[in-house]
Amino acid sequence: GAGVSQSPSNKVTEKGKDVELRCDPISGHTALYWYRQSLGQGLEFLIYFQGNSAPDKSGLPSDRFSAERTGGSVSTLTIQRTQQEDSAVYLCASGTSSSSYEQYFGPGTRLTVT
Amino acid sequence: DQQVKQNSPSLSVQEGRISILNCDYTNSMFDYFLWYKKYPAEGPTFLISISSIKDKNEDGRFTVFLNKSAKHLSLHIVPSQPGDSAVYFCAATPAGGTSYGKLTFGQGTILTVHP
């Protein structure tokens, strides 16, 4: 079956612009996570959606970052007024409620802020 | 504050030999540990996991060992194959509570297996 997909695969934007990153999780997966990987770093948790519960936003680095998940499926991560330190690979993952530990990752979106 | 650490940025191994990747953690609330493998331009893929109630889990060529008292886990790959060359991430999470499923990752170790 289809895996997690993300779009765009690459995004170059100017400092100060807003960007939207999209994630299509595996069908039927109730859990959805956003992570980012900065150069030379491990994956950093950003936000977590589980079913209809309020999202866990504890990893969002600033109020310029927000995410929503519509209809329990597709998710969009929005970064407002981008800064150069936002440059990273943004990874989305999904999982089932019974095996949320085993998360299935998309290929990521490489964001470059110039 | 790095709660999960992989102190070796890279490891080079000959084909057929054993690869041992190490991971240390500091958060005693972590109850479940996972290893992910990542090829360039792809997302990480789940490899193997272990619960804190066990000290060993084996899946084919891959074995994960957990030493809770030392807060240390390791991934053994034997025999190593050139296709195993990738970045390996160690990850950990509490088993429940509000942090359920939220993985904390190490920095990764680049494994290169030479033919």
Side-chain angles (χ1 to χ4, degrees), chain A residues 33 35 37 40-45 48 50 56 58-59 91 96-108, chain B residues 2 32 34 36 38 41-46 49 89 93-96 98-108:
Chain A
Y33 308 81
Y35 296 87
Q37 184 180 15
Q41 302 296 315
L43 281 73
E44 173 192 4
F45 167 80
Y48 161 41
Q50 175 60 57
D56 179 345
S58 59
L91 290 152
T96 66
S97 57
S98 62
S99 64
S100 286
Y101 300 131
E102 299 170 14
Q103 298 173 18
Y104 299 83
F105 283 82
Chain B
Q2 197 77 30
Y32 202 81
L34 305 91
Y36 279 81
K38 185 179 184 302
E42 295 183 11
T45 55
F46 169 75
S49 63
F89 290 98
T93 182
T98 58
S99 295
Y100 177 78
K102 189 167 72 177
L103 299 178
T104 300
F105 283 85
Q107 310 95 307

Side-chain angles (χ1 to χ4, degrees), chain A residues 4 13 22-24 28 31 37 40 52 56 62-63 67 75 77-78 80 86 88 91 96-98 102 106-107 109 111:
Chain A
V4 177
T13 190
R22 178 187 168 105
C23 171
D24 283 90
Q37 184 180 15
N52 295 321
D56 179 345
S62 78
D63 58 7
S75 177
L77 177 70
T78 302
Q80 296 178 311
D86 299 335
L91 290 152
T96 66
S97 57
S98 62
E102 299 170 14
T109 293
L111 175 65

Side-chain angles (χ1 to χ4, degrees), chain B residues 57-98:
Chain B
N57 189 27
E58 190 172 352
D59 183 3
R61 298 187 296 114
F62 304 90
T63 304
V64 56
F65 295 91
L66 175 63
N67 182 333
K68 276 196 73 176
S69 60
K71 292 190 174 68
H72 176 84
L73 64 155
S74 61
L75 174 68
H76 292 210
I77 306 173
V78 58
S80 301
Q81 299 173 354
D84 296 330
S85 298
V87 181
Y88 288 78
F89 290 98
C90 167
T93 182
T98 58

